[in-house]
Amino acid sequence: MAASSISPVAPARVGALVVPVGKVKKSKFNSFVGKLQAESVVRLGDISPDQRPDRNLFSPLAFPNGVILYDISTSEVPASQRIYFPFELQRNQLVILGIVDGRSNSVATAAGNEANRGPNDLTSGVISEYQEELEARFPHALSIQILIFDSTATSGPVNVLTVPPKDQMKSTTMKTLMCDVSARLLAEMSLFAKMIQEVDSIPTPTAAGMSAPFLNRYDSIRQACLAKEDSGFARPRLTSPDRQGSSDLEEEQRARRASSPARRPAQEALQSPERSASPATFETSPPNAAASFSVDKKKRPTDSAMSRIRDLSRNRSSVHGMPSRSSSDRGKFSAKLRQGLIVGNLFMMSGRWADALRELVDNTTRAKAFADYIWYAKGMECILTTMILLAWARIDFTVPSICFSAQDRPMSLKHTPSSNLIRSSQSLDSSDNTASHAMSNLQLVLPEIVNTIIQHYRRDDNVDGSGPAQFPFSESVIRLAYLMAVLQRTGGQLNDRTARYLVVGSPGGLSSRLSQHRLGVSTLHNADIAGLIFQAFPPESLAATMVIGEVISIMSGTIAVLSMARLYRKRAMIIREALSLLIPRLIQARKVGAAEAGIHPAASLAARHGLTIDSSSGAPLLDSGKNDIDFHELLVILCETFGVPGLRPITMGNAKMGDVIESKKAQLERQQLQFGGFELKTEILRLVANFSESVPNFHDVVQFTAALLRTAGPGSAPAPASEMMSVQLQPEDQRRFFNKINRTLGVFKSEDAQQLESDYWDSFLVRDVEINGATHAHTVKLSGRLAGVNRIHDSYDYPSPSSEARVATTMISPNYYILAKESTELIVTMQNLYDFEVQVERVQIMTDGVELQAHIPSATLAPRSLQQVICNVSAPVPGQITVSGCRVKIQGCREQLFKVFPNAWKPAGDVKIKSHGLKALIDVNDAVMDPANLPPQPVTKSFDVVAAQPKLLLALSSRTQDAIDILEGESSAISVTVRNAFPHLSVNFLQVAFDYEYDRGQSAIRPKSAINNSRSLKPPIEWQEHASFPPIAPGESRPFKLSVHGQFDLQQATLRLDHGYLDPEHMLNESITLIARRLTITLAFNVQPSIRIEAIYVLPQQQLVAVDIINASPSMLIIEIPTPDPVAPNVTPQSTDPNQSTRILLPITVVAQSIDTPLHVTWRDSSSDRHGSIRIPPSQLSSVLAAAPAAAPAAVTLQLLSNSGSAIVETAYHQFIAPLQAPLTLRCTVSNSSDTIKRFIVDFEARAAGPAVEVLDIDVTRALAWTGNMKQGARLGPGESKDMELGLQVCNSGLFEVTAEVTHFRGKEALCTAKLVFEVE
């Protein structure tokens, strides 16, 4: 794995690019690269120096304890970043390693063997071709080396290194190999350093760009340098590290010192410690310091560390004292100081850190004097990197005075020569505290150095185009911010452990501080780190012109710094922005790549062309030499930051994911679903799903899309009768995400698709598991002593013709049983709260106890529904079964365990307004939650397996049609025939019960005034058989009769026949518990209306009760009301046409007697024998009588008579039909109902009725003529009556109404009134 570019020591690493040469398999290539990366740290003392005198400038003998740090990678540095070379040497990979697979190619060691070599044999010519190919491909590399791995040859061609197979390798083989590579690199570095001195000018990467990038002139400079070496041409000599500078530079320094203010005398450097008796052997992790650092407040800078970092406008470097020179001299000195900084960087990369520090300090001082601020900042950064490397190697050094500001510079450092900065080149013993003292000094000055570097990088920002190039500046800020973040994590202390972590990235480098608070004296805070790192972000106008790779690299470094500083929310926001930038570029790149390959750019189609799936990450694997990048962990961290749960597997020790772990995971998901905002979580999940599709990583596409559906779901268990809780996504979005999962999985084979499947998005999938009680055995409790077993018991308990005592029965519910060795139906209730169908591929019922054999067909769950899935199960022996849940395989999801949640539950609103950041999610398991908001606990279901029982089946029914057609109030007879299908036992116990379903819609459309109550007349179905019956033998059929009664809104009736075999030995027991089967017969009804009682009211004057009835049937009906009083005469039956009404008048005394005895309205179809009756509710009659006024002292009746013998027809009470212009007599009878003598006045009034009332009222005297007084008096004793007559003659046809009103003599209020209506034709 390549080293991190955000490390503070990244400028000191030597870039090494590893490329395959010839035929190399990807797996073997990765294995070879891993072996090289394991030896990426090479000690100079182990390297053999080059013997050529012109190649020993960087001889390892001068600093044997130095180290070369390699950045071994398989990715080439982008061309957009190589333009910054040599300003940043790490931008160009100096070493190219070509990997050859020795097993695929044999090595020829002698020229004589070339004639016998095979097509894959490697000869010197082939190796030369490979070498030339690499040199042409990488012309700017310093060293190109071919490595043959798994080579069985003892030696190979010239300039080729071989590596034996694994079984022949020694522990030092790879270390020796890297030492050989390093020896060649150091030799080439000498030539490159000479090339640098041949350059007239070195460009500076600025915001305006580089006019002449160095690599464009690389070939010409190299050829010129080589030509001078071959011709012996005198060339400028490379400046020795021990030399203080050229004569010109010495003159410049003297002039600068003369013009500078007087300074205090310099203090001598500390004495060098004694050298170790023997050279220390360098290891990857140097020994730890013996003592920790304690801060000396007297040596601490006057202002706080981060105040200097934030204040980038203060403490400007002084350029006073710079000698006045011409532009040519200035360019000459500028080129020389830049050459010196590059050479110092080469010394740092070659492990010669003591020489690097001297060279860098001298030339950085000159850059400051010549106001070359960008190179000055670069030199300060390299000085800081070199000091970190020296601290890591425990080499004593003095912090250069250039690292201090003028007011903070200690007296002992103000005139320390650069040659005295390194007091010993040997690594110090862990017991020596001198190295810790050097680290302490470096720790104190670190904030000042960071402040100086950033300040001078941005010194010329206000000048157009003079500022530094954005990308190198951003990466420099990131490295410095990462350094400060690491120090903040360690409590502000720079010690051996911190240095080891910064250089080699030791996995346990910060483990002792990760779980602790910051220790020591540190003024670094998270806000300071954030303010520093966000300076690396380019302005929006500049970012739009940058290469997308550079922008993403800056964002990646920022993310790493924010992670180190534990600023997780800010980190998540940067990740989100980075993904948003990457998605369109990745999609475009995929389109271009697909076009080149001649395939469709869609990821699904690309998967069909040779893609296989990595079982660990789910990412597609390609047969190429590039490393596969797995973004899964990054995306999971992003989602978790915004509160998306359930994306990580839960493990318990070393156990695999099992039922216990799945239950725990589902519980955590239910608890964490309420954390975070829904809109933000769905936005993040959409983003990561789109990013995974653009990469493509099919595993993440499926997982994050499923997480999006889970997050949008209600996370509840609604009640069956309640409305389904809505999902917080539009239905079309739900279907689109679900189809994306199926589309992604559909392009793979079944074995590959199983690796991509995710968890189902609803942990409340299984709501209940129960036995189908309509068809299976249950418990019946019999109380009372039985005289025989051949009995029928029904739930209505009607009188039996038998004289034997009846037996009362009760049900014990819901104890149902599974019969051994017989198929039983289990109902698994599942919920689907989403707006798309869910395919259930298989269900496995998880049980304990008796083994349960199940056959469960596939099923489809309808959208937004609770659905029952019927499963046929069987048990071999009696016993008990406990159901703990179901393992369900949903299409597109992996098979997982679902617990049973039969009780309704939904999350309550959180009363807490704001949680404490991410800690609210981390501590969600330990928090004390509101009991009303606690997730429900799953339940287990227990079932008993019992011995076999006889079984009745429906053999025949007399009703062959789908539904029974019957009129309301009508009675009918049907029969059902059952057969005992059990081969061994007879049925000697039978219990009958009925369940009814009514159509509420029919009741709703019936007029509110209707008073029908056909339900209360009798039950819809009555059992017509006797209580005693012969046992039903095995295989025998037995018919049973039933009586059916029509009720208005009856829709369906269910006949339950609980049957079984009762052992005769248990007959005399007082209480018996019987395991019985149940046969369910469903009868559908189509009940049509017959008559409808519209109204019942009292006529107080006439002492009558009027009943208005409508014929609601399609036939003419004869309607009557039989009176229960045998003395009172029955009311005359009245024929009523369809949809016509009739009024039946009953004496009020008869109605009063019907309160105890039901009063019925009977009807009969005159065209058929169909008849029925409907009871008038006694409660209705009681309310009518209670609302009737008290009896009046007088009563009046009217009667219309014919004087000419013409026929007058009485159609109803006080309703007549009379001929036109026929003489008529109106007879009025007045009665005294009181017990005293009364004087009454009778007022007659005639008027027209019907639709032309308004017209006929005006001319009523012309249309109707009468004789006699319209007002007459009568004196009546108690119980007396008197008849009064008026002569009438009607001149016009029409409808007329005559009213007689009785009042007291001299009274005003009417005592009673009678109205007569007649129609003249």
Side-chain angles (χ1 to χ4, degrees), residues 267-270 292-301 305 308 383-384 387-388 391 395-405 408-413 416 420-421 423 433-450 487 492-495:
Q267 192 178 34
E268 293 296 327
L270 298 176
S292 61
F293 163 70
S294 61
V295 177
D296 186 355
K297 296 183 179 180
K298 295 182 180 180
K299 295 183 180 180
R300 175 172 298 281
R308 300 172 185 171
I383 291 173
L384 175 60
M387 288 190 293
I388 293 176
I395 297 176
D396 189 22
F397 64 93
T398 301
V399 177
S401 60
I402 195 175
C403 297
F404 293 91
S405 60
D408 295 331
R409 186 175 300 151
M411 292 293 297
S412 61
L413 298 178
T416 303
N420 295 335
L421 295 176
R423 293 187 290 272
N433 202 31
T434 307
S436 296
H437 183 70
M439 290 185 186
S440 301
N441 292 331
L442 176 58
Q443 171 186 323
L444 291 175
V445 80
L446 267 178
E448 183 65 34
I449 297 177
V450 172
L487 290 179
Q493 296 183 2
L494 179 62
N495 50 29

Side-chain angles (χ1 to χ4, degrees), residues 110-221:
N113 295 335
E114 293 186 7
N116 300 325
R117 68 181 178 89
N120 294 330
D121 290 344
L122 292 175
T123 63
S124 299
V126 175
I127 295 297
S128 299
E129 292 178 2
Y130 288 161
Q131 186 79 17
E132 293 175 358
E133 179 184 351
L134 292 177
E135 290 177 354
R137 182 179 173 187
F138 306 102
H140 305 140
L142 299 186
S143 174
I144 298 178
Q145 183 74 60
I146 293 181
L147 309 177
I148 303 178
F149 279 81
D150 291 349
S151 174
T152 57
T154 56
S155 62
V158 181
N159 297 329
V160 174
L161 300 179
T162 60
V163 180
K166 183 178 180 180
D167 54 350
Q168 301 178 14
M169 289 181 61
K170 299 179 181 179
S171 59
T172 59
T173 300
M174 294 305 301
K175 181 177 293 187
T176 303
L177 176 72
M178 291 303 297
C179 290
D180 295 340
V181 172
S182 300
R184 184 171 182 179
L185 171 65
L186 294 177
E188 295 298 329
M189 276 186 173
S190 300
L191 178 61
F192 179 73
K194 297 174 184 178
M195 291 174 53
I196 292 296
Q197 288 192 334
E198 296 291 337
V199 179
D200 296 334
S201 63
I202 298 178
T204 300
T206 61
M210 298 179 65
S211 58
F214 178 81
L215 290 180
N216 295 349
R217 301 176 290 159
Y218 182 87
D219 292 337
S220 60
I221 298 173

Side-chain angles (χ1 to χ4, degrees), residues 409-636:
R409 186 175 300 151
M411 292 293 297
S412 61
L413 298 178
K414 287 193 174 182
H415 290 87
T416 303
S418 60
S419 60
N420 295 335
L421 295 176
I422 304 298
R423 293 187 290 272
S424 175
S425 62
Q426 296 294 327
S427 297
L428 298 178
D429 189 77
S430 60
S431 60
D432 197 322
N433 202 31
T434 307
S436 296
H437 183 70
M439 290 185 186
S440 301
N441 292 331
L442 176 58
Q443 171 186 323
L444 291 175
V445 80
L446 267 178
E448 183 65 34
I449 297 177
V450 172
N451 176 57
T452 301
I453 294 173
I454 297 178
Q455 169 188 338
H456 286 80
Y457 264 132
R458 308 189 69 171
R459 184 74 177 263
D460 294 333
D461 279 354
N462 296 330
V463 181
D464 293 340
S466 298
Q470 182 62 45
F471 183 68
F473 168 73
S474 298
E475 284 214 335
S476 178
V477 173
I478 291 172
R479 289 192 292 267
L480 297 174
Y482 187 78
L483 172 61
M484 303 307 291
V486 170
L487 290 179
Q488 187 220 28
R489 287 286 290 273
T490 59
Q493 296 183 2
L494 179 62
N495 50 29
D496 289 341
R497 177 172 296 180
T498 307
R500 183 168 61 253
Y501 181 82
L502 291 173
V503 177
V504 297
S506 177
L510 300 179
S511 59
S512 62
R513 302 285 183 180
L514 289 177
S515 61
Q516 301 177 7
H517 297 290
R518 291 190 298 270
L519 303 178
V521 181
S522 175
T523 59
L524 297 176
H525 301 285
N526 285 341
D528 301 325
I529 301 297
L532 176 61
I533 187 58
F534 283 128
Q535 295 185 48
F537 263 66
E540 185 176 357
S541 58
L542 184 58
T545 61
M546 295 178 64
V547 180
I548 183 63
E550 295 181 352
V551 177
I552 296 300
S553 179
I554 294 172
M555 288 185 171
S556 301
T558 305
I559 291 167
V561 174
L562 294 174
S563 298
M564 179 60 65
R566 296 173 180 159
L567 298 173
Y568 301 125
R569 291 187 180 274
K570 290 182 175 61
R571 177 189 67 181
M573 291 188 292
I574 303 300
I575 296 175
R576 180 175 62 178
E577 294 300 324
L579 296 183
S580 301
L581 290 175
L582 279 174
I583 288 175
R585 273 78 175 183
L586 290 173
I587 294 176
Q588 181 63 26
R590 191 177 63 189
K591 290 180 180 179
V592 174
E596 294 176 354
I599 60 177
H600 196 278
S604 59
L605 294 180
R608 297 176 180 175
H609 294 269
L611 284 182
T612 58
I613 299 300
D614 185 358
S615 60
S616 60
S617 64
L621 298 181
L622 298 173
D623 292 333
S624 65
K626 298 182 180 180
N627 289 334
D628 296 319
I629 302 177
D630 186 10
F631 294 93
H632 177 76
E633 183 66 19
L634 174 67
L635 301 181
V636 169

